[in-house]
Amino acid sequence: MPTSVPTPATRLRGLKPEWLNNPKVWRTEILAGLVVALALIPEAISFSIIAGVDPAVGLFASFTMAVVISIVGGRRAMISAATGAVALVIAPLNREHGLGYLISAVILAGVIQIVLGSLGMAKLMRFVPRSVMVGFVNALAILIFMTQVPEMYDVPWAVYPLLVGGLALMVFFPRITKAVPAPLVSIVVLTAITVAAGIAVPAVGDKGELPSSLPVPGLPDVPFTLDTLATIAPYAFAMALVGLMESLMTAKLVDDITDTHSSKTRESIGQGIANIVTGFFGGMGGCAMIGQTMINVKVSGARTRLSTFLAGAFLMVLCIAFGPVVSDIPMAALVAVMVMVSFATFDWHSIAPKTLKRMPAGEIAVMVITVMVVVATDNLAIGVVVGSVTAMVIFARRVAHLARVTSVTDPDGTTVVYSVTGELFFASSNDLVGQFDYNDDPDRIVIDLSAAHIWDASSVAALDAIETKYKQRGKTVEIIGLNAPSADLHGKLTGELTSH
């Protein structure tokens, strides 16, 4: 029978994601995008204040970052926008040199992120231990909560019942129906109450003026000279590293929540593209927003790029078309959402007494150190680096003690066989030289490495030192049992590591 040739329409349908034909997914993604957009507005304005720029600069950045990353990013449903970490990095540049230099740094940071992504920086994520990841998540939850504390301090008394009511709605409304995200219901209900009753409480509009038009592209107003490059380069590099670190950690967190895999290399390059576009549209740049991502993925149940795209699109629509309405949203409603997010984000199992009793002390120490550094510095990237380095040091100390040396002398007394067991690297090999009896051993020494593995030049140098000490006493040394990688490394480096 003749085979049918697929038509262009059939081929197009084959390329379309399955969720495009699922009304339930559409509803979830649209409503999730709306909730995130509402939560983005006060956050973007706050980060603009931190960076020392007009609120529109932060809102434009959130709009362009979300829209662009929804297309070029590697992690579906993750939200990227203006963030506090980026604001802290670039604030000094804006304060000392002005907005033009800040925008230039954002564009350069995007270029650096593309380069780092292309060079495979995302692969470094494999070296982040689970204890650091747990500490990262718990520190994130604490930071999210701490950022809301100022909104609950020195405010009218009416804020507190509104806050409690918002939390109650988000806890109990899902028991009635999950068709509409509980955070959206909470925001709508509390806004309606405050407006209808004329309750005077802090609102979104108090954070700053919302933009009334879309951003337009343009070049930063700076001299295109080497002096400008030298001025912005340190800030751009710092921003690129902080942005990638937070974005990759957030992507890994969403991978775990959704039990799906994402391309970290594509995400790294996508973050760079999004920052370049954001810079040309006059935004302050950004990276993955962990709190808003949790609202989108964990609270609202979004799973596709549509929610990310709509979060950015709705943000501009809300600001431009519904500015007066959005300005009336009480901050208590958004604070309630973020408090619920912080509670849901924290890994409560990690601090349960039953878990702590079973966990090795080193793992607990790494988790606690990560949390403490993040909270103390208000920088997730620094906490992850310090936590990872601490974990590596603890691991090195633990493994260093696993290298053991035992000796057996032949009955005739002419040969002694040393059996070395364990991993030989810089930490363990330093103690290796002292475990041989150079003076009293017989004339022939055999070092059996069948149960060991040589990892680095330090181990080869240690073996060379052992051979040298025996040769100085007129004794011969034979090394046997090397596996293929160890033999290859030893063959290349032995005798080449000392000048005499």
Side-chain angles (χ1 to χ4, degrees):
M1 293 179 64
T3 58
S4 59
V5 178
T7 65
T10 304
R11 287 195 295 268
L12 183 61
R13 282 196 299 272
L15 294 174
K16 288 166 49 177
E18 293 181 5
W19 60 264
L20 284 176
N21 299 318
N22 189 331
K24 184 178 179 180
V25 173
W26 273 87
R27 183 182 65 228
T28 299
E29 299 295 311
I30 292 172
L31 293 176
L34 180 58
V35 174
V36 172
L38 290 168
L40 276 175
I41 293 173
E43 293 282 302
I45 296 174
S46 298
F47 298 146
S48 299
I49 295 171
I50 292 173
V53 298
D54 188 82
V57 177
L59 290 165
F60 288 158
S62 296
F63 163 60
T64 53
M65 286 292 297
V67 169
V68 175
I69 207 67
S70 70
I71 301 169
V72 300
R75 173 65 257 176
R76 297 189 299 274
M78 191 168 78
I79 305 297
S80 290
T83 60
V86 169
L88 289 171
V89 170
I90 60 176
L93 179 63
N94 178 68
R95 185 169 56 249
E96 295 172 14
H97 299 280
L99 182 61
Y101 282 82
L102 182 151
I103 300 301
S104 301
V106 170
I107 296 172
L108 181 58
V111 174
I112 294 172
Q113 287 177 328
I114 292 175
V115 172
L116 292 175
S118 301
L119 292 176
M121 180 186 172
K123 295 179 181 178
L124 295 176
M125 290 302 297
R126 71 182 67 178
F127 296 107
V128 178
R130 182 186 178 279
S131 52
V132 174
M133 190 68 192
V134 173
F136 167 83
V137 170
N138 290 345
L140 159 67
I142 293 171
L143 285 183
I144 292 174
F145 181 82
M146 288 176 62
T147 58
Q148 307 310 308
V149 172
E151 303 295 340
M152 296 182 278
Y153 177 74
D154 194 22
V155 292
W157 68 268
V159 167
Y160 302 110
L162 288 173
L163 181 60
V164 172
L167 291 171
L169 278 170
M170 284 183 283
V171 171
F172 296 108
F173 186 79
R175 300 182 183 182
I176 301 173
T177 178
K178 294 183 179 180
V180 181
L184 179 59
V185 175
S186 177
I187 292 170
V188 171
V189 170
L190 294 189
T191 303
I193 291 174
T194 55
V195 172
I199 302 174
V201 291
V204 171
D206 298 329
K207 290 289 183 179
E209 187 177 350
L210 303 181
S212 58
S213 62
L214 289 171
V216 294
L219 294 174
D221 184 19
V222 295
F224 292 90
T225 63
L226 289 178
D227 287 340
T228 300
L229 180 61
T231 300
I232 67 173
Y235 296 95
F237 190 72
M239 175 185 164
L241 288 181
V242 169
L244 280 185
M245 182 76 74
E246 292 210 22
S247 298
L248 293 177
M249 290 294 290
T250 306
K252 189 175 186 301
L253 178 60
V254 178
D255 287 353
D256 294 340
I257 293 173
T258 61
D259 196 23
T260 57
H261 176 72
S262 62
S263 171
K264 306 303 183 296
T265 297
R266 178 176 173 179
E267 184 60 41
S268 301
I269 296 173
Q271 288 290 330
I273 295 172
N275 271 307
I276 292 173
V277 173
T278 296
F280 282 120
F281 275 89
M284 58 181 275
C287 61
M289 282 197 87
I290 306 170
Q292 273 62 26
T293 297
M294 291 299 100
I295 293 175
N296 197 45
V297 174
K298 201 164 187 176
V299 178
S300 301
R303 293 292 183 271
T304 77
R305 297 178 184 275
L306 180 62
S307 57
T308 306
F309 176 86
L310 290 178
F314 282 149
L315 173 64
M316 280 293 97
V317 171
L318 289 170
C319 290
I320 296 171
F322 300 99
V325 176
V326 172
S327 296
D328 288 335
I329 295 175
M331 285 301 299
L334 299 176
V335 169
V337 172
M338 298 308 294
V339 168
M340 183 60 68
V341 168
S342 68
F343 183 86
T345 301
F346 197 92
D347 186 351
W348 298 101
H349 176 73
S350 67
I351 61 172
K354 185 177 180 180
T355 303
L356 294 176
K357 286 180 181 178
R358 296 182 178 180
M359 286 282 286
E363 300 281 320
I364 297 173
V366 169
M367 179 182 71
V368 172
I369 288 171
T370 302
V371 172
M372 290 176 63
V373 172
V374 170
V375 173
T377 63
D378 200 25
N379 191 312
L380 292 162
I382 295 176
V384 170
V385 172
V386 173
S388 298
V389 171
T390 303
M392 290 175 187
V393 171
I394 292 174
F395 174 77
R397 286 174 57 85
R398 187 183 303 162
V399 175
H401 297 297
L402 296 180
R404 298 185 300 276
V405 179
T406 56
S407 63
V408 176
T409 304
D410 282 358
D412 58 9
T414 60
T415 304
V416 61
V417 178
Y418 284 93
S419 296
V420 181
T421 304
E423 308 299 322
L424 299 182
F425 65 112
F426 62 89
S428 59
S429 60
N430 287 335
D431 298 330
L432 190 64
V433 179
Q435 299 190 49
F436 292 80
D437 191 353
Y438 303 101
N439 293 322
D440 297 332
D441 279 343
D443 291 339
R444 184 170 181 270
I445 296 89
V446 177
I447 301 176
D448 185 2
L449 297 176
S450 301
H453 185 93
I454 298 175
W455 287 102
D456 60 7
S458 296
S459 302
V460 177
L463 292 172
D464 284 353
I466 294 168
E467 290 189 77
T468 300
K469 288 179 179 293
Y470 276 117
K471 287 179 181 179
Q472 289 171 347
R473 293 164 175 79
K475 303 175 183 182
T476 60
V477 177
E478 181 184 3
I479 297 176
I480 64 173
L482 290 170
N483 57 35
S486 298
D488 182 58
L489 182 62
H490 184 266
K492 288 179 180 178
L493 297 180
T494 186
E496 302 293 333
L497 298 174
T498 57
S499 57
H500 54 275

